Amino acid sequence: MNTPEIKLERVSMLYQTDSTEVLAVQDVTLDIKQGEFVSLLGPSGCGKTTLLRIMADLIQPTNGEIKVAGESARAARLAQKYGIVFQSPVLYDWRKVKQNINLPLEMIGMKKSEREDRVNALLELVGLEDFKEKYPWQLSGGMQQRVAIARALAMEPEILLMDEPFSALDEFTREHLNEELLSIWSKVGSTVVFVTHSISESIFLSDRVFVLSPHPGRLSSVVDITLPRPRTQEMRNSPEFFQLIADIRDSFEGV
Amino acid sequence: MNTPEIKLERVSMLYQTDSTEVLAVQDVTLDIKQGEFVSLLGPSGCGKTTLLRIMADLIQPTNGEIKVAGESARAARLAQKYGIVFQSPVLYDWRKVKQNINLPLEMIGMKKSEREDRVNALLELVGLEDFKEKYPWQLSGGMQQRVAIARALAMEPEILLMDEPFSALDEFTREHLNEELLSIWSKVGSTVVFVTHSISESIFLSDRVFVLSPHPGRLSSVVDITLPRPRTQEMRNSPEFFQLIADIRDSFEGV
Amino acid sequence: MNVQNVLSSRYFPVVVWVFGLLVVWEFSSWFLLHVVEASMAQSKIPYIHELVYTFTQYGYTLFVEGKATFSNAAIGFLLGATLGGLLAVLMSISKWIEQLTFPYAIASQMIPILGLAPIVYGIFRDEQIARILIAGYITFFPVALNMLRGLRSVDPTAVELMYSFAAKPWMIYWKLRFPAALPGLFSGLKIAAPLAVTGAILVELMGAQNGIGVLMLRNLYYGPSHNYMFWSTVIVGAFLGVVSYLLISLIERIVAPWQPDFRSSGGDD
Amino acid sequence: MVLLWEWQMFHLIFNLETYQLPIPSTILEAMTENRTLLLSYAGYTMTEAVLGMLIGSTLGFVFAILAAAWPRWGKGGLVLIASLNAVPIVAMAPIMNLWFGAGMGSRIAIVTIMTMAAMAINAYKGMRMVDPLALDLMHSYAAKKHEVFRYLRVSNSLPFVFTALKINTTASMIGAIVGEFFFSSRGLGYLLSNSIKVAKMPLGWSCIIVAAIAGVIFYLIVERLEKVFLKWHTSNRS
Amino acid sequence: SGDTGDELTPIKLQLKWVPQAQFAGYFMALEEGYYEEEGLDVTIVAGGPDIVPEQQVANGAADIGIGWVASLLPHQEQGLPLVQISQIYQKSGLVLVSKSETGISSPEDLAGKNVGNWMGGNEFEVLALFDKYELDPNADLSFVKQGFTMDQFLADEIDAASAMTYNEYQVVLGEGFAESDLNVIDMNDEGVAMLEDNLFANTEWLENNKETAAKFVRASLKGWQAAIDDPEAAVDSVMAEAEEGSTSRDHQLKMMEEVAKLVLPEGFDPANIGQIDDEMFKQTAIIAHQYGVIETPADLDEAYTHEIMEMVNE
Ligand SMILES: Nc1ncnc2c1ncn2[C@@H]1O[C@H](COP(=O)(O)OP(=O)(O)OP(=O)(O)O)[C@@H](O)[C@H]1O
Ligand SMILES: Nc1ncnc2c1ncn2[C@@H]1O[C@H](COP(=O)(O)OP(=O)(O)OP(=O)(O)O)[C@@H](O)[C@H]1O
Ligand SMILES: Cc1ncc(C[n+]2csc(CCO)c2C)c(N)n1
Ligand SMILES: [Mg+2]
Ligand SMILES: [Mg+2]
């Protein structure tokens, strides 16, 4: 399982607008192995979302190359390998909660009966059983984001790209979903790229943490998380965990 | 300075839609003193935003009473006492960053020269000097939220209502803005109601923390934060701080 | 039924509008006739009560012809709306196609029926087809433009979500762009629906036997003695416009109820 | 060039006669022969169209503001304005002629009426379809009704307003041209209807071509303005 | 000749204007069953401001049309496959009417005045009149487009308005003007008359349907004769066509009386109703050429044919 699933080679992204240019990402080279769980960590505006969007084939880098499972990112996208959670929920106003979660299942043409079970299981997972008949604007901010998470998990994607999925959630819900995410991941075996600005979250979840520095966004260090799996809540209080936090904080401050 | 600035008396909020009803907030009674900094803490969907919107006179509670500075919330709103940061940035697409921050200043009729200085100072505060000529969609998610924060601070409101303002930000930016917020607060003397789901953030910032329990949202406990002011980053590692975290966690778990 | 109930009723404003309009109209008519003493005052603004009298006398004829026009309008409207929708979809696919087809669409609108009729007859050699086509031709433009705006105004991230599912283009339309464009489509339809009535009337002028247009034309050209009857046909036309508009509004509420304007709690006034 | 070729193909495919749709060369001939007349008439008709559209769009916009400010009352008014669209020009022309005489005024009035509804309906939609949170923001500033319009609703309605303006470019041209059929002694519409009735198809089609060119230019101008005013809108992002 | 058995031959007649006594003969023929007797199933298609009968017939939307000769000639010149088969109105019905207070007692007085006409093929008689009195329509007076109602005349926007004796003139009388309040310039008296309502057919259609055309004309002329003989009955047949409330019987009756004078002028042999008068046609064609209605002198042999009328009278 150690073939590189996602491979970036000197990837740069320059946003151009009429007047100015912003170099959002510069010369990022990295490998993510199949089935690996990695985090992108870095300050606001450092290019995390941009990198994620490049991996998802939603934008093309102005320079450099990206391969997904040996092929182009486009091929991977067309093969419906991706599930994405965006930074904002991006729910469709005209669909109820359950219909929003249903969306990707409809798109891959899953049978109706099967869909229903899946959606109910997901609703339970994110704790929104009672809200499945509501419209998005009737939910709180955190609830909306949970719907978006359920939607991304629905098709059990080969590659799961998550952009700060839990930042709108309280610590308990967040820790609960952290654990759930790990358990789903261990079952499905997806490759997960997880954007976060929480150091402890990145440690708790990941195999490796990619730390980015801003202006322009570059890869400043890669931290291996040596904690054994399955991860448990107790580990959060282990000295190893604190050491890792300190390490990453250092690599941050070095910026 | 110990007159109650915001006073809720057995406030309840029942959302009604064609089909169902949701009791979002039930029988909340609380006092916030003038110049006080309080936090609302609670799990996703427990009614924090609802409470904030009631205080802001954006919705009327279905039951109970609210007084702001002895008068109705409506009177306070009409006297332009409020500055609000919503959970999502809510920027105007057609205004550049600096114009978005300018908006409340235009509305209170501030002179142009004065406005410019104020906006520049705010841009520096949130670290977006270089982006003032950009449109919102050219910013990252965290940057957009920072613009919204600057906009709320712009008119130095008497009452500042903030709904998870920093949850989209990385720890460094967040800690930086925590400190800045406290320093602005100490200068302006605003009453601040701060919604967050971070226990440590609520402790670091507040005089008191209101802990809410969900379904329906009730006030489960009020925690006095006895840490002296001005708060410093070191305090985050003090035993007192850890004790407070533990206390609040307990009152949470008691839910 | 107390006063409060009446005042807060949904239909109260409508009643006030209609009644107010009638009063203003009647007064203007009187004013023009007796104060200004304008020439042909009754042709300029006829008395409402005279029109009402005409309606009581010829109401049945007006109703029958109005019904004929309305069903013709419905056919033209369906065709025009479909055409407009298709064109909007086509143009939304790429700017390039838009730039290529749009000048034609605009130019086509500049061809009056007078110039268009011979061509359409020349091609189809069938009156019925020609009439339906002409009625559709009049309605498609506003629908196309509004729909295009709707299709183009979709939240870019929502489109990216679709890309991430590797959604086929038609899926993106079906699941995202169409629903998102519905509000725009409906304002287009609201403009187009009364236009379709106009279209139907114009088409009736091309030698039809029935319809409010036929009645309108004949009364116009049978001399000013038929002023009230002519005005009655104008009012029936406008009334058909109102009906078509309200019908579309009703359908909008059923098809796209999630718009902010329709939310029970979303109001600000 | 492509157009000319298509035109000829059109002829071939549908087996049209030249008296139904003349071939381009004869139209071109008629155009060059009558170019001064056509140009001056085009100017006349465009004046009617542009003035009528400006007045009609302004009225429609003002009405949309009133309707959006008091929607309970405004909705009924919108229906009435929209219903004016169901009165065909054949009926409007004699009425307007009585009110405003046979001069430009009556056509300007026709165009005004024809363009009002599109603007009123679209601008109303744009002013009402605001993000509820943006509205909350305005409320938190204790914005007066007019400020909500000034700072939020009007800007929010701009994409809709421009759509209406685009519809109105063609509507106003049609209104002016067809309005001229009935009473005018000048203008493209006058020349067009006269020419077609006496079988001068090439001249009639010259009018149509000139009108089409003018209409497209008119449209492109509005589109250009839209690009300038709606730089921020999704549809204009790269 | 396709009238074997009870099968009626369908045929469509395109009017130049809305159904009214101007076309009484056809309605009469329809009502009295003259068409049916000839084995024809006639549909009468109403006209209107946007309908050009010549186009309709050329396109095949109708088989036979009613138009004015001055309008038929340019269409023929443009290659529309049309040929005139009968001339219903032997005289021009066009007059210029003015209120006496405007002081237009003779055509010279038109100088400096507003003179109205519907244009679009109806203006040539008036132009010929101007020419005869050496009035330049672009300089000596203002020659303006008149709507199809008489509103502009009534509102004094037009001093001398074009009017058909049978319609617009009657409308003016109906508005309360006495004949003595009005001055009338008659095109026939001025020698600038052109032929008006005729019958023409699509040449290609006619080629194979001469018999049918003759039957149609025969029945129509019989209708006209009947209408002239019994105006009341004629108006009944017209009123049957007009919707309730849209026109008045009186108006149609007046129209019928005036139309009768054009179809069967004083001293005209009733046996000759519908005949095409070569001389008048020629005058019409010459005026048409003179005022640029047609670029080249009309080829009279192509423009009309007596053949159908001859078949009618057999
Ligand atoms: N407009 C609305 N209509 C109906 N129900 C609503 C509406 N807004 C909120 N609710 C419901 O009220 C409850 C409380 O919502 P609220 O937004 O106050 O939660 P919150 O504490 O802010 O949560 P979060 O941390 O996720 O933002 C939720 O159950 C939500 O579904
Ligand atoms: N569409 C765009 N056009 C122009 N510049 C852009 C665009 N999107 C992002 N940028 C710029 O690129 C940089 C990186 O943005 P990105 O969204 O990748 O940051 P991020 O790391 O996700 O930040 P955050 O944590 O705040 O979401 C920022 O400076 C931003 O202004
Ligand atoms: C295209 C067209 N132009 C002018 C007239 C004028 N005209 C000639 S006969 C007649 C009807 C009886 O008056 C009228 C109005 C017309 N009919 N059709
Ligand atoms: Mg981001
Ligand atoms: Mg909330």
Side-chain angles (χ1 to χ4, degrees):
Chain A
M1 272 236 210
N2 268 356
T3 50
E5 177 84 341
I6 303 175
K7 197 177 161 71
L8 302 189
E9 279 263 346
R10 300 182 60 82
V11 161
S12 299
M13 181 75 212
L14 185 75
Y15 285 111
Q16 252 167 335
T17 43
D18 349 297
S19 47
T20 51
E21 300 179 338
V22 176
L23 186 59
V25 165
Q26 191 178 33
D27 275 343
V28 170
T29 300
L30 56 79
D31 263 21
I32 299 166
K33 296 184 202 54
Q34 200 189 341
E36 198 178 15
F37 196 127
V38 302
S39 291
L40 300 181
L41 190 70
S44 171
C46 73
K48 304 182 292 294
T49 299
T50 303
L51 265 182
L52 209 72
R53 283 157 52 83
I54 290 173
M55 292 181 194
D57 188 45
L58 295 174
I59 49 176
Q60 277 67 49
T62 38
N63 265 308
E65 221 192 347
I66 165 165
K67 289 262 175 254
V68 176
E71 292 190 86
S72 67
R74 189 178 142 76
R77 178 169 67 76
L78 293 182
Q80 303 190 308
K81 290 190 179 175
Y82 293 118
I84 308 187
V85 181
F86 293 94
Q87 206 164 348
S88 55
V90 198
L91 302 178
Y92 290 178
D93 272 348
W94 51 91
R95 286 177 169 245
K96 294 180 176 170
V97 165
K98 61 169 190 194
Q99 293 167 322
N100 263 294
I101 299 177
N102 227 327
L103 181 67
L105 302 180
E106 288 171 30
M107 314 270 324
I108 59 172
M110 186 182 278
K111 270 207 301 290
K112 195 161 179 190
S113 52
E114 220 175 317
R115 282 197 319 235
E116 205 150 313
D117 294 344
R118 180 84 67 99
V119 168
N120 284 331
L122 287 162
L123 279 166
E124 198 180 334
L125 176 71
V126 295
L128 291 176
E129 305 93 317
D130 298 344
F131 294 85
K132 64 183 204 180
E133 298 291 344
K134 298 247 179 277
Y135 283 102
W137 54 275
Q138 299 175 317
L139 302 188
S140 78
M143 289 166 157
Q144 290 179 15
Q145 192 60 16
R146 281 184 273 162
V147 176
I149 294 164
R151 183 181 56 195
L153 294 174
M155 52 200 263
E156 301 187 343
E158 207 173 307
I159 300 173
L160 187 57
L161 306 174
M162 306 181 91
D163 198 353
E164 311 193 12
F166 302 144
S167 64
L169 302 179
D170 61 287
E171 274 161 68
F172 286 97
T173 314
R174 186 171 189 152
E175 284 169 13
H176 164 69
L177 285 175
N178 275 179
E179 277 184 287
E180 290 295 338
L181 177 59
L182 286 183
S183 107
I184 291 173
W185 170 68
S186 69
K187 271 182 261 164
V188 180
S190 307
T191 309
V192 182
V193 182
F194 191 95
V195 170
T196 179
H197 42 67
S198 160
I199 298 176
S200 60
E201 188 174 60
S202 72
I203 296 172
F204 182 76
L205 293 171
S206 317
D207 295 323
R208 281 190 297 164
V209 176
F210 294 101
V211 182
L212 298 171
S213 65
H215 302 303
R218 291 158 163 284
L219 188 57
S220 76
S221 67
V222 183
V223 181
D224 270 300
I225 310 300
T226 43
L227 295 171
R229 296 200 183 261
R231 307 270 160 91
T232 58
Q233 293 299 343
E234 292 77 53
M235 287 183 189
R236 288 188 195 263
N237 300 316
S238 68
E240 219 178 329
F241 201 91
F242 286 117
Q243 185 54 46
L244 283 165
I245 291 186
D247 286 356
I248 293 179
R249 276 199 175 245
D250 284 348
S251 77
F252 247 108
E253 249 135 47
V255 171
Chain B
M1 272 240 211
N2 267 357
T3 50
E5 175 85 341
I6 302 174
K7 197 177 160 69
L8 301 189
E9 280 261 346
R10 299 181 60 83
V11 160
S12 299
M13 182 74 213
L14 184 75
Y15 286 109
Q16 250 165 339
T17 42
D18 345 298
S19 48
T20 52
E21 301 179 336
V22 176
L23 187 60
V25 165
Q26 190 178 38
D27 275 344
V28 170
T29 299
L30 56 80
D31 263 22
I32 299 166
K33 296 183 202 54
Q34 198 190 340
E36 198 178 16
F37 196 126
V38 303
S39 291
L40 300 180
L41 190 70
S44 171
C46 74
K48 304 181 295 292
T49 299
T50 303
L51 265 182
L52 210 74
R53 286 163 60 82
I54 289 173
M55 293 182 192
D57 189 45
L58 294 175
I59 49 176
Q60 278 69 48
T62 39
N63 264 306
E65 220 192 347
I66 166 164
K67 289 262 173 251
V68 176
E71 293 189 86
S72 69
R74 191 178 140 77
R77 179 170 66 77
L78 293 182
Q80 302 190 309
K81 289 189 180 176
Y82 293 117
I84 307 187
V85 182
F86 293 96
Q87 205 163 350
S88 55
V90 197
L91 303 177
Y92 286 179
D93 274 346
W94 51 89
R95 285 178 171 248
K96 294 179 175 172
V97 165
K98 59 169 192 195
Q99 293 167 322
N100 263 294
I101 299 177
N102 227 327
L103 179 68
L105 303 180
E106 285 173 37
M107 309 239 4
I108 60 172
M110 185 183 279
K111 271 207 302 288
K112 194 163 178 186
S113 54
E114 219 175 318
R115 283 199 319 237
E116 203 151 316
D117 293 345
R118 181 84 68 99
V119 169
N120 284 332
L122 286 163
L123 279 166
E124 199 179 333
L125 177 71
V126 294
L128 291 176
E129 306 93 317
D130 298 343
F131 293 86
K132 65 184 206 178
E133 298 292 344
K134 297 250 181 275
Y135 283 102
W137 53 273
Q138 298 175 315
L139 302 187
S140 78
M143 288 165 158
Q144 290 179 15
Q145 192 60 15
R146 281 184 273 163
V147 175
I149 294 164
R151 183 180 60 191
L153 293 175
M155 53 198 266
E156 298 185 347
E158 208 173 303
I159 300 172
L160 186 57
L161 305 174
M162 305 180 90
D163 198 353
E164 312 194 12
F166 302 144
S167 64
L169 302 179
D170 61 288
E171 274 160 67
F172 285 97
T173 314
R174 185 170 191 154
E175 284 170 12
H176 164 70
L177 284 174
N178 275 179
E179 276 185 288
E180 289 295 337
L181 177 61
L182 285 182
S183 108
I184 292 173
W185 171 68
S186 68
K187 271 182 261 164
V188 180
S190 307
T191 307
V192 182
V193 182
F194 190 96
V195 170
T196 178
H197 43 66
S198 160
I199 298 177
S200 61
E201 187 175 57
S202 73
I203 296 172
F204 182 76
L205 293 170
S206 318
D207 295 323
R208 283 189 296 162
V209 176
F210 294 101
V211 182
L212 299 171
S213 65
H215 302 302
R218 294 157 160 283
L219 189 58
S220 76
S221 68
V222 183
V223 181
D224 271 300
I225 310 299
T226 46
L227 295 171
R229 293 200 184 261
R231 308 269 160 91
T232 57
Q233 293 300 343
E234 291 78 54
M235 288 183 189
R236 288 187 194 261
N237 299 317
S238 68
E240 220 177 330
F241 201 93
F242 284 119
Q243 185 54 47
L244 284 165
I245 290 187
D247 286 356
I248 294 179
R249 277 197 174 247
D250 284 347
S251 76
F252 246 108
E253 250 135 45
V255 170
Chain C
M1 257 320 240
N2 59 22
V3 179
Q4 197 57 45
N5 263 344
V6 174
L7 290 184
S8 61
S9 149
R10 236 164 81 96
Y11 302 100
F12 179 62
V14 181
V15 174
V16 172
W17 264 108
V18 171
F19 193 72
L21 188 77
L22 294 182
V23 170
V24 170
W25 187 316
E26 184 81 357
F27 173 79
S28 315
S29 178
W30 170 84
F31 188 80
L32 216 57
L33 191 61
H34 293 294
V35 181
V36 183
E37 297 189 356
S39 70
M40 313 193 66
Q42 279 298 289
S43 298
K44 286 179 178 164
I45 307 179
Y47 269 135
I48 292 287
H49 64 262
E50 292 284 0
L51 293 180
V52 170
Y53 176 72
T54 313
F55 270 100
T56 57
Q57 267 207 310
Y58 302 111
Y60 183 69
T61 312
L62 288 166
F63 173 76
V64 170
E65 306 296 335
K67 216 171 66 177
T69 300
F70 198 74
S71 54
N72 288 338
I75 297 173
F77 177 79
L78 285 181
L79 185 76
T82 316
L83 237 66
L86 286 180
L87 187 69
V89 171
L90 207 69
M91 290 190 302
S92 74
I93 290 172
S94 87
K95 284 258 183 211
W96 191 78
I97 297 181
E98 180 188 346
Q99 268 154 15
L100 202 74
T101 50
F102 226 89
Y104 289 92
I106 302 164
S108 79
Q109 289 291 294
M110 295 297 140
I111 309 172
I113 309 291
L114 196 60
L116 191 68
I119 303 176
V120 178
Y121 275 103
I123 294 173
F124 295 98
R125 303 188 176 278
D126 181 293
E127 284 170 62
Q128 201 49 37
I129 294 179
R131 283 185 196 157
I132 292 174
L133 277 181
I134 290 172
Y137 152 90
I138 290 170
T139 38
F140 89 91
F141 198 65
V143 177
L145 270 176
N146 270 293
M147 177 99 180
L148 182 63
R149 206 239 10 264
L151 292 173
R152 284 261 162 85
S153 301
V154 176
D155 173 10
T157 323
V159 181
E160 291 185 342
L161 179 69
M162 278 298 178
Y163 284 149
S164 79
F165 299 146
K168 299 272 179 314
W170 64 270
M171 266 291 194
I172 300 185
Y173 275 90
W174 187 240
K175 301 277 184 194
L176 171 62
R177 287 195 192 268
F178 282 137
L182 280 179
L185 175 65
F186 273 103
S187 37
L189 293 180
K190 280 184 196 163
I191 296 166
L195 276 181
V197 176
T198 308
I201 293 179
L202 282 186
V203 167
E204 283 162 7
L205 303 186
M206 308 293 307
Q209 309 287 344
N210 298 102
I212 209 73
V214 174
L215 207 55
M216 185 180 277
L217 190 74
R218 297 189 184 174
N219 279 285
L220 195 55
Y221 298 141
Y222 283 150
S225 48
H226 300 97
N227 180 44
Y228 295 122
M229 192 65 179
F230 165 67
W231 271 95
S232 301
T233 63
V234 171
I235 286 175
V236 170
F239 178 77
L240 293 181
V242 169
V243 172
S244 67
Y245 182 98
L246 292 178
L247 222 71
I248 301 294
S249 303
L250 186 76
I251 297 174
E252 179 179 20
R253 280 212 175 240
I254 296 168
V255 176
W258 41 266
Q259 297 180 58
D261 203 18
F262 297 157
R263 286 175 199 168
S264 42
S265 58
D268 59 319
D269 328 73
Chain D
M1 283 308 111
V2 178
L3 183 90
L4 291 185
W5 181 78
E6 280 168 19
W7 194 306
Q8 308 272 12
M9 283 309 288
F10 197 70
H11 256 280
L12 278 178
I13 293 169
F14 293 111
N15 194 18
L16 286 172
E17 302 286 345
T18 50
Y19 57 81
Q20 287 159 336
L21 179 64
I23 52 172
S25 58
T26 60
I27 297 179
L28 224 60
E29 207 174 293
M31 269 166 94
T32 42
E33 239 168 66
N34 299 285
R35 64 179 171 277
T36 42
L37 185 70
L38 282 169
L39 273 180
S40 88
Y41 277 5
Y44 182 83
T45 303
M46 284 295 284
T47 311
E48 293 169 347
V50 172
L51 284 179
M53 152 148 159
L54 288 180
I55 298 172
S57 301
T58 310
L59 285 179
F61 189 74
V62 168
F63 195 87
I65 288 182
L66 296 176
W70 295 282
R72 201 165 106 83
W73 294 96
K75 277 181 196 165
L78 272 186
V79 184
L80 292 184
I81 289 197
S83 74
L84 290 178
N85 261 355
V87 179
I89 301 181
V90 239
M92 224 149 32
I95 300 173
M96 293 304 141
N97 175 63
L98 279 172
W99 288 3
F100 301 102
M104 239 185 202
S106 72
R107 259 93 58 206
I108 292 177
I110 289 174
V111 174
T112 299
I113 289 175
M114 285 184 61
T115 51
M116 219 160 47
M119 178 57 83
I121 293 170
N122 257 326
Y124 174 83
K125 189 95 197 179
M127 289 176 195
R128 297 297 302 178
M129 262 194 58
V130 289
D131 175 4
L133 280 177
L135 212 52
D136 284 346
L137 182 70
M138 278 291 139
H139 277 249
S140 78
Y141 297 145
K144 309 241 174 12
K145 218 165 198 165
H146 72 264
E147 287 175 315
V148 177
F149 275 90
R150 176 159 162 223
Y151 289 106
L152 175 59
R153 290 195 196 272
V154 169
S155 303
N156 196 69
S157 74
L158 281 185
F160 295 76
V161 166
F162 272 99
T163 304
L165 286 178
K166 287 179 182 173
I167 294 174
N168 283 350
T169 52
T170 58
S172 67
M173 292 292 292
I174 298 170
I177 290 175
V178 179
E180 283 167 354
F181 281 10
F182 296 89
F183 293 94
S184 180
S185 304
R186 299 178 60 190
L188 289 178
Y190 162 77
L191 188 61
L192 167 60
S193 82
N194 262 10
S195 306
I196 288 191
K197 283 177 189 169
V198 293
K200 289 187 188 163
M201 293 309 254
L203 185 55
W205 276 89
S206 304
C207 295
I208 293 177
I209 303 278
V210 171
I213 292 171
V216 171
I217 291 174
F218 193 7
Y219 183 93
L220 289 179
I221 290 173
V222 172
E223 199 176 46
R224 194 72 249 155
L225 285 176
E226 180 185 30
K227 284 243 163 64
V228 174
F229 280 97
L230 296 184
K231 254 203 286 262
W232 49 270
H233 192 247
T234 348
S235 56
N236 288 327
R237 289 176 199 168
S238 40
Chain E
S1 52
D3 62 324
T4 44
D6 348 303
E7 282 289 295
L8 296 181
T9 312
I11 186 166
K12 271 192 188 165
L13 172 67
Q14 174 68 58
L15 304 184
K16 185 174 169 60
W17 200 241
V18 296
Q20 54 183 354
Q22 178 185 5
F23 314 109
Y26 317 105
F27 290 114
M28 196 68 176
L30 194 63
E31 180 96 350
E32 297 291 321
Y34 300 159
Y35 289 131
E36 216 167 323
E37 284 166 20
E38 295 281 357
L40 301 177
D41 173 17
V42 174
T43 310
I44 299 180
V45 182
D50 274 350
I51 298 175
V52 183
E54 287 83 357
Q55 284 279 4
Q56 295 281 93
V57 173
N59 285 334
D63 306 308
I64 293 182
I66 299 166
W68 286 9
V69 174
S71 164
L72 177 65
L73 292 175
H75 282 97
Q76 287 173 330
E77 188 179 38
Q78 287 297 315
L80 277 74
L82 303 170
V83 62
Q84 174 165 339
I85 54 176
S86 175
Q87 181 65 44
I88 305 300
Y89 288 11
Q90 303 296 343
K91 283 176 63 185
S92 166
L94 184 68
V95 297
L96 279 177
V97 58
S98 56
K99 298 176 183 167
S100 3
E101 68 257 27
T102 13
I104 303 174
S105 45
S106 86
E108 285 106 343
D109 302 329
L110 290 172
K113 297 285 197 281
N114 275 327
V115 182
N117 184 273
W118 310 287
M119 309 294 181
N122 302 300
E123 68 271 40
F124 305 116
E125 286 169 271
V126 183
L127 285 175
L129 181 74
F130 293 158
D131 198 51
K132 181 177 167 195
Y133 289 91
E134 293 178 339
L135 295 166
D136 179 351
N138 295 317
D140 300 332
L141 50 83
S142 97
F143 190 43
V144 300
K145 172 140 172 168
Q146 175 180 327
F148 298 121
T149 64
M150 288 306 271
D151 296 351
Q152 287 152 297
F153 176 74
L154 297 169
D156 289 325
E157 284 174 32
I158 290 179
D159 302 316
S162 293
M164 304 311 294
T165 52
Y166 49 84
N167 189 15
E168 285 80 1
Y169 186 62
Q170 301 303 328
V171 167
V172 174
L173 292 179
E175 285 299 305
F177 290 87
E179 300 220 17
S180 54
D181 298 337
L182 300 169
N183 287 335
V184 168
I185 300 171
D186 190 324
M187 301 302 142
N188 297 300
D189 301 345
E190 298 295 341
V192 292
M194 295 172 88
L195 285 173
E196 292 166 2
D197 294 27
N198 60 7
L199 289 175
F200 59 84
N202 187 315
T203 37
E204 288 148 28
W205 175 84
L206 190 64
E207 204 55 46
N208 306 316
N209 295 282
K210 285 189 177 154
E211 203 65 41
T212 312
K215 286 176 180 167
F216 173 81
V217 175
R218 191 180 301 128
S220 301
L221 296 181
K222 195 171 166 195
W224 274 113
Q225 186 62 60
I228 292 166
D229 292 344
D230 186 356
E232 291 283 348
V235 169
D236 284 342
S237 69
V238 172
M239 292 305 285
E241 192 67 18
E243 288 76 12
E244 232 192 307
S246 56
T247 184
S248 71
R249 227 192 119 76
D250 286 349
H251 180 67
Q252 295 301 330
L253 200 56
K254 280 269 162 39
M255 187 182 291
M256 185 61 236
E257 285 165 8
E258 289 301 324
V259 162
K261 296 179 197 163
L262 302 178
V263 178
L264 188 58
E266 255 174 273
F268 191 78
D269 179 359
N272 285 341
I273 292 186
Q275 288 291 359
I276 304 168
D277 179 334
D278 294 310
E279 274 313 303
M280 258 319 268
F281 201 103
K282 203 162 164 192
Q283 175 178 332
T284 305
I286 287 170
I287 295 177
H289 181 234
Q290 202 170 340
Y291 296 100
V293 185
I294 43 180
E295 319 249 294
T296 51
D299 178 354
L300 297 182
D301 295 334
E302 293 280 309
Y304 65 92
T305 168
H306 287 299
E307 190 183 354
I308 304 300
M309 281 307 291
E310 280 158 12
M311 290 168 73
V312 167
N313 291 330
E314 261 163 26

